[in-house]
Amino acid sequence: LKYHNLASSLITLTTDFGLTDTYVGVMKGVILGIAPRAQIVDLTHAIAPQNILEASARLEAAIDFFPSHTLHLVVVDPGVGSRRDAVVVPTDKGVFIAPDNGVLTLPLRRCLARTAVRLGDQASPYLRQPVSATFHGRDIFAPIAAHLAAGVLPESLGDRCDPRTLVLLSVPTPYEERSEEGRPVLHVPILYCDHFGNLITALTPAEWSAWHARLGIDAEEAAAKAVIQAGSGRWKGIRRTFRDVEADAPLAYWGSAGRLEIAIREGNAAQTLALTSRAAIYLTF
Amino acid sequence: LKYHNLASSLITLTTDFGLTDTYVGVMKGVILGIAPRAQIVDLTHAIAPQNILEASARLEAAIDFFPSHTLHLVVVDPGVGSRRDAVVVPTDKGVFIAPDNGVLTLPLRRCLARTAVRLGDQASPYLRQPVSATFHGRDIFAPIAAHLAAGVLPESLGDRCDPRTLVLLSVPTPYEERSEEGRPVLHVPILYCDHFGNLITALTPAEWSAWHARLGIDAEEAAAKAVIQAGSGRWKGIRRTFRDVEADAPLAYWGSAGRLEIAIREGNAAQTLALTSRAAIYLTF
Amino acid sequence: LKYHNLASSLITLTTDFGLTDTYVGVMKGVILGIAPRAQIVDLTHAIAPQNILEASARLEAAIDFFPSHTLHLVVVDPGVGSRRDAVVVPTDKGVFIAPDNGVLTLPLRRCLARTAVRLGDQASPYLRQPVSATFHGRDIFAPIAAHLAAGVLPESLGDRCDPRTLVLLSVPTPYEERSEEGRPVLHVPILYCDHFGNLITALTPAEWSAWHARLGIDAEEAAAKAVIQAGSGRWKGIRRTFRDVEADAPLAYWGSAGRLEIAIREGNAAQTLALTSRAAIYLTF
């Protein structure tokens, strides 16, 4: 099956395959062999091996910046070769193609999804045969994305299901605890760390507003008086951008991923503050 | 020379240039300046510097997943600036453009190639002039690939030759040896190591079948009873996929590259077993 | 604003964002959401964080290899969120879109630029709103490049200015000094180091010719008799290509970037000679 007169379609790839091997290139070969005019964008191939949560958080932060007809293909798949399902989920912010292992948990929180499709026997003619036991990105996910780009309807690939029946990840969430002196402290897990050493936390502006409002503190005062404890660093205030602090000083700011981030101006916060993606930071007043 | 009304064509790139420099981007600029609608796919730019064998094995494993009209451009070229030839080899599985240094040895074993063309003076108008002494990827290979994408015939670029006259690599091959107790042991060289630490060996299913058949062992028994010695690891059985063993356990399986691979489930086999791409593994019964 | 019937346009990206995060992918999503048929080429995303000089030198070396209608988008932007301007500079070798922080200093030396445009309030409808304080690549530069690709005129984005009013970098330049014995020595700064460990210096052929001519030495003699002191290495002669020296020997040659380069044949000069991008080499006779 190959589609020649195809309007160009946009497909993003998110994997833990890295770029040193040919895995990603081979997936693109499969896609372009089916849908020759697809536009393929690498979202990232540097997800930590088999880290479903990181993939979920990174994809969530990216989808708002792609057209709503985009196909988002995610292959972070520790269960490859086992009986986990593959799913297609059409939403108002793009169509997701992924293993049903929880990786869509965070993106789907921000989308309207009325239905999902679990790939079934109906999908067989659209797969690359024989399907290998170790590389479903190439044999299942890439050809399915390409056929969807070419206009195949999700419903023709398997049985519909309620999106609420998909596997859900347990996502680290901010919660309130008490300091030794009894003051309320917001415990905020770190979700992942970027290439600059900036730490992306789980805290959203909505969660932050709800918390400081409950303590009777308004937005401006909360930003000015928040005390941030992040690894070996401790400082006051949430800032707007890097330039609001001196070089080498740490800062907290609402990052481009829509969550609170920790950085060192012109430095590497993960290294300097000795923090990793399994740690947490603490906010108090 | 520039072609405007060009059907989009597919060109893959395989180099040892890495992605930190602009070398790959510049090659793409040259290609798109000639063939503006070419689709370019990075197969890999992380070949170990000047490792012709690795490039050959990785390309061999990838070509089956690209359309047969694909142009495969390979620039792993320790002899740049010397008198080695540049060749164009049309086959039933795509057209190869590469230095004549042996890098096509493995891909051509899987293709039907009736002719090859050594670039000659006729190619001059299609090169980027002046041709530098150090970057033939930019000045020779990229523009030739782009002109081929645009419909220039290989024959117009130089003299035809028999593909069997191309330089051949000496490729490590499995062979039988005897253990101290006199039992037959299959010595299997490792070809390369991937980003996950999985080790891709030289052994193909055909070679494996021939060997165990000669010992009077059928396929099922051979898979079940094979004893694999790989670095510091020793275990029994060839498996289908990662899920067939416990986490952190080593396994041997027929990988997506069409060869026997060694991995650690949810781990890094190269590190854990202390094996590199110059080593070998051993199979016996 | 979205343009459907767009001739495909070529946009290059040069950033310090790396490829492990989704920043580059997100910029591409923004571009393709506006200009769906744009061709996007990654020039490099591995500029050392916030190293404006390196970005400037790498871009300068690349522009000659792209069509003159290319849009070159540069986001190396230590001043993100502060009041530095964003500029669009149409030239005979492509259109540059960048922060006005000096990053265009070297490319503009090789181009004819009659005018530049500083983005002003007129650009607002073309930006991604709300514009974040930390990711202008996504919210300002990517959408501006896409709209330019779609045919929006630079003049409609802000006020024209003289390109000579743009911020200029102080670029390290070769200069003559005297040895202890009073002989003239050419002090040549290193600009950057590539993936192979080759060192790209500031010296151009024109500067070299002017210097040896002033000393009364012709080109051939100068190449043969030049003594190069580079870190722990000292040798004689400028060569044409790697093959002109033995394996593991150092060499100086006119590199593909149009400047003198230092390499070790089949080795890593930066490591072996203990040189970095802040050092210099010395030429004498």
Side-chain angles (χ1 to χ4, degrees):
Chain A
L1 281 163
K2 184 174 162 174
Y3 309 85
H4 279 287
N5 298 315
L6 192 69
S8 64
S9 291
L10 187 51
I11 299 175
T12 77
L13 304 181
T14 301
T15 77
D16 58 358
F17 293 166
L19 286 174
T20 60
D21 299 307
T22 62
Y23 302 127
V24 171
V26 160
M27 285 178 62
K28 292 178 181 174
V30 170
I31 290 171
L32 295 171
I34 295 165
R37 292 169 70 185
Q39 285 261 30
I40 305 174
V41 169
D42 299 304
L43 208 43
T44 175
H45 299 291
I47 300 295
Q50 313 187 333
N51 189 329
I52 295 171
L53 175 64
E54 183 192 351
S56 199
R58 286 184 181 274
L59 185 59
E60 178 203 26
I63 53 179
D64 280 343
F65 305 98
F66 284 84
S68 61
H69 63 266
T70 304
L71 297 160
H72 294 289
L73 176 47
V74 193
V75 195
V76 178
D77 191 15
V80 64
S82 72
R83 292 205 168 273
R84 64 102 188 86
D85 282 339
V87 293
V88 174
V89 190
T91 78
D92 61 328
K93 295 191 174 176
V95 179
F96 298 91
I97 303 115
D100 183 25
N101 61 12
V103 74
L104 298 182
T105 303
L106 286 170
L108 290 182
R109 283 190 190 169
R110 297 173 75 145
C111 298
L112 198 71
R114 270 177 302 205
T115 190
V117 172
R118 292 179 190 279
L119 294 199
D121 292 341
Q122 307 97 303
S124 282
Y126 301 103
L127 306 183
R128 185 164 179 103
Q129 301 291 355
V131 172
S132 69
T134 53
F135 194 2
H136 287 186
R138 179 190 72 192
D139 300 332
I140 296 180
F141 295 104
I144 289 294
H147 286 291
L148 289 168
V152 168
L153 295 176
E155 303 88 283
S156 60
L157 298 170
D159 294 329
R160 290 180 184 219
C161 67
D162 188 323
R164 288 169 299 183
T165 65
L166 299 185
V167 171
L168 278 182
L169 272 192
S170 147
V171 178
T173 307
Y175 59 87
E176 184 179 293
E177 55 192 24
R178 294 275 150 182
S179 71
E180 286 178 16
E181 307 86 38
R183 274 183 305 159
V185 173
L186 195 61
H187 175 116
V188 177
I190 293 170
L191 290 184
Y192 59 93
C193 167
D194 80 6
H195 149 81
F196 295 102
N198 301 341
L199 300 151
I200 289 81
T201 77
L203 189 65
T204 63
E207 290 164 337
W208 174 243
S209 298
W211 192 64
H212 67 67
R214 202 155 51 73
L215 299 180
I217 302 174
D218 72 18
E220 202 174 331
E221 193 187 346
K225 295 199 171 162
V227 174
I228 295 107
Q229 173 84 45
S232 59
R234 188 182 175 88
W235 67 92
K236 206 170 178 177
I238 296 175
R239 305 305 183 100
R240 202 180 65 90
T241 187
F242 303 100
R243 283 286 164 123
D244 294 342
V245 302
E246 302 289 305
D248 300 323
L251 76 157
Y253 59 99
W254 296 104
S256 60
R259 296 178 183 274
L260 193 75
E261 299 186 11
I262 303 297
I264 303 271
R265 178 172 164 195
E266 291 165 34
N268 184 308
Q271 281 171 18
T272 306
L273 304 175
L275 280 168
T276 71
S277 58
R278 304 214 171 166
I281 66 163
Y282 303 89
L283 289 100
T284 187
F285 291 105
Chain B
L1 281 163
K2 184 172 162 176
Y3 309 85
H4 279 287
N5 299 314
L6 191 71
S8 64
S9 291
L10 188 50
I11 300 174
T12 77
L13 304 182
T14 301
T15 77
D16 59 358
F17 293 165
L19 286 173
T20 59
D21 299 308
T22 61
Y23 302 126
V24 172
V26 160
M27 285 178 62
K28 292 178 181 174
V30 170
I31 290 171
L32 295 172
I34 295 166
R37 293 169 69 184
Q39 286 260 31
I40 305 173
V41 170
D42 298 305
L43 209 43
T44 175
H45 299 290
I47 300 295
Q50 314 186 331
N51 189 329
I52 295 171
L53 176 63
E54 183 192 352
S56 198
R58 287 184 181 273
L59 185 60
E60 178 204 25
I63 53 179
D64 279 343
F65 305 98
F66 285 84
S68 61
H69 63 266
T70 304
L71 297 161
H72 294 289
L73 176 47
V74 193
V75 194
V76 178
D77 191 14
V80 63
S82 71
R83 294 205 167 272
R84 63 101 189 84
D85 282 340
V87 293
V88 174
V89 190
T91 78
D92 61 328
K93 295 191 173 175
V95 179
F96 298 92
I97 303 115
D100 182 25
N101 61 12
V103 75
L104 298 182
T105 302
L106 287 169
L108 289 182
R109 282 190 192 169
R110 296 172 75 147
C111 299
L112 199 71
R114 268 177 302 205
T115 190
V117 171
R118 293 180 188 278
L119 294 199
D121 292 340
Q122 306 96 304
S124 283
Y126 301 104
L127 307 183
R128 186 163 178 102
Q129 301 292 356
V131 173
S132 69
T134 53
F135 195 2
H136 287 185
R138 179 190 72 192
D139 300 330
I140 296 179
F141 296 105
I144 289 294
H147 286 291
L148 289 167
V152 168
L153 294 176
E155 303 87 280
S156 60
L157 298 170
D159 294 329
R160 290 181 184 220
C161 67
D162 187 323
R164 288 169 299 183
T165 65
L166 299 185
V167 171
L168 278 182
L169 273 191
S170 147
V171 178
T173 307
Y175 59 87
E176 185 178 294
E177 55 191 24
R178 293 276 150 179
S179 72
E180 285 181 16
E181 308 85 37
R183 275 182 306 158
V185 173
L186 195 61
H187 175 116
V188 177
I190 293 169
L191 289 184
Y192 58 95
C193 168
D194 80 6
H195 149 82
F196 295 102
N198 301 342
L199 300 152
I200 288 80
T201 77
L203 190 65
T204 63
E207 290 165 335
W208 172 242
S209 298
W211 191 64
H212 68 66
R214 202 155 50 74
L215 299 179
I217 303 173
D218 73 20
E220 202 174 330
E221 193 187 347
K225 295 199 170 160
V227 174
I228 295 106
Q229 173 84 47
S232 58
R234 187 181 175 89
W235 67 93
K236 205 170 178 177
I238 296 174
R239 305 305 183 98
R240 203 179 62 90
T241 186
F242 303 100
R243 283 286 164 123
D244 294 341
V245 301
E246 302 289 305
D248 300 323
L251 76 156
Y253 59 99
W254 296 104
S256 61
R259 296 180 182 273
L260 193 75
E261 299 185 12
I262 303 297
I264 303 271
R265 178 174 164 193
E266 293 166 33
N268 184 308
Q271 281 171 18
T272 305
L273 304 174
L275 280 167
T276 70
S277 58
R278 304 215 171 163
I281 67 163
Y282 303 89
L283 289 101
T284 186
F285 290 105
Chain C
L1 281 164
K2 185 173 161 173
Y3 309 84
H4 279 288
N5 298 315
L6 192 69
S8 65
S9 290
L10 187 50
I11 300 175
T12 77
L13 305 181
T14 301
T15 78
D16 58 358
F17 293 165
L19 286 173
T20 61
D21 299 307
T22 61
Y23 301 126
V24 171
V26 160
M27 284 179 61
K28 292 178 181 174
V30 170
I31 290 172
L32 295 171
I34 295 165
R37 293 169 67 185
Q39 285 260 31
I40 305 173
V41 169
D42 298 305
L43 208 43
T44 175
H45 300 291
I47 300 294
Q50 314 186 331
N51 189 330
I52 295 172
L53 175 64
E54 184 191 352
S56 198
R58 286 184 181 273
L59 186 60
E60 178 204 26
I63 53 179
D64 279 343
F65 305 98
F66 285 84
S68 61
H69 63 267
T70 305
L71 297 160
H72 294 290
L73 176 46
V74 193
V75 194
V76 179
D77 191 16
V80 63
S82 72
R83 293 203 167 275
R84 64 101 189 85
D85 282 339
V87 292
V88 174
V89 190
T91 78
D92 61 328
K93 294 191 173 175
V95 178
F96 298 91
I97 303 114
D100 182 25
N101 62 12
V103 75
L104 298 181
T105 303
L106 286 169
L108 290 183
R109 282 190 193 169
R110 296 172 74 146
C111 298
L112 199 70
R114 269 177 301 203
T115 191
V117 172
R118 293 180 188 278
L119 294 199
D121 293 342
Q122 307 96 304
S124 283
Y126 300 103
L127 306 183
R128 187 165 177 102
Q129 301 291 354
V131 172
S132 69
T134 53
F135 195 1
H136 287 185
R138 179 190 73 192
D139 300 331
I140 296 180
F141 296 105
I144 289 294
H147 285 291
L148 289 168
V152 169
L153 295 178
E155 303 88 281
S156 59
L157 298 170
D159 295 329
R160 290 182 184 217
C161 67
D162 187 323
R164 288 169 299 182
T165 66
L166 299 185
V167 171
L168 278 182
L169 273 191
S170 146
V171 178
T173 307
Y175 59 88
E176 185 180 294
E177 55 192 25
R178 294 275 151 179
S179 72
E180 287 179 16
E181 307 85 36
R183 274 184 304 158
V185 173
L186 195 62
H187 175 116
V188 177
I190 293 169
L191 290 184
Y192 59 94
C193 168
D194 81 6
H195 149 81
F196 295 102
N198 302 342
L199 300 152
I200 289 80
T201 77
L203 189 65
T204 63
E207 290 164 335
W208 173 242
S209 298
W211 191 64
H212 67 65
R214 202 154 51 74
L215 299 180
I217 302 173
D218 73 19
E220 201 174 330
E221 194 187 346
K225 295 200 171 160
V227 174
I228 295 106
Q229 173 84 47
S232 58
R234 186 181 176 88
W235 67 93
K236 205 168 177 178
I238 297 175
R239 305 305 183 99
R240 202 179 64 90
T241 188
F242 303 100
R243 283 287 164 122
D244 294 343
V245 302
E246 300 291 304
D248 301 323
L251 75 156
Y253 59 100
W254 296 104
S256 61
R259 295 178 184 274
L260 192 75
E261 300 185 11
I262 304 297
I264 303 271
R265 178 173 165 195
E266 290 165 35
N268 184 309
Q271 281 172 19
T272 305
L273 304 175
L275 280 168
T276 71
S277 58
R278 305 214 171 164
I281 66 163
Y282 302 88
L283 289 100
T284 186
F285 290 105

